Amino acid sequence: QVQLVESGGGLVQAGGSLRLSCTASVRAYGNFAMGWFRQAPGKGREFVARITGGGFATDYADSVNGRFTISRDNAKNTVYLQMNNLKPEDTAVYYCAARVVTWSRRPDEYPYWGQGTQVTVSS
């Protein structure tokens, strides 16, 4: 069983930064592709960023490209999401997710999820 625990959310003003962390309790963490998703009130869960198991490839939604950076430290079983130049429309609950081997932009293809962490950006 894979358990994911996110941290680092909070309230920030527009233009500010936050760094989210997600730590996994699992063996062979490097075998898992990781993704970040978010869900705003009244909306579906949307893709934000993903990273391959070895961390050599990353991919971003157009809405965050150039502002957010996904990275991972496999020695710590942790994936990060550095969020810069935050905007009010980034307000959402952010989730990390894990998937064995291959990565995906589709949330329904990730079997393992964290509990989510709230990010609120004030204007």
Side-chain angles (χ1 to χ4, degrees):
Q1 185 69 14
V2 178
Q3 291 187 325
L4 305 174
V5 178
E6 299 106 334
S7 61
L11 173 64
V12 64
Q13 288 188 331
S17 298
L18 283 173
R19 188 176 83 153
L20 306 183
S21 300
C22 169
T23 300
S25 58
V26 66
R27 283 185 162 184
Y29 178 67
N31 288 343
F32 289 82
M34 300 298 296
W36 284 99
F37 297 82
R38 66 187 181 187
Q39 187 165 15
K43 295 188 177 181
R45 195 164 295 189
E46 67 170 354
F47 166 74
V48 175
R50 58 179 175 165
I51 188 168
T52 54
F56 299 112
T58 58
D59 179 40
Y60 300 91
D62 289 345
S63 59
V64 307
N65 197 21
R67 300 187 297 122
F68 290 12
T69 302
I70 188 172
S71 62
R72 65 190 295 163
D73 183 341
N74 286 356
K76 296 181 178 180
N77 280 21
T78 299
V79 63
Y80 305 97
L81 186 68
Q82 177 67 44
M83 306 185 294
N84 297 329
N85 191 21
L86 282 160
K87 304 176 181 180
E89 52 263 43
D90 295 318
T91 295
V93 177
Y94 283 71
Y95 299 90
C96 68
R99 186 171 190 270
V100 175
V101 183
T102 57
W103 67 354
S104 173
R105 284 187 165 211
R106 293 179 50 174
D108 63 332
E109 293 186 346
Y110 285 80
Y112 307 109
W113 291 83
Q115 81 287 355
T117 185
Q118 177 70 46
V119 171
T120 302
V121 185
S122 63
S123 57

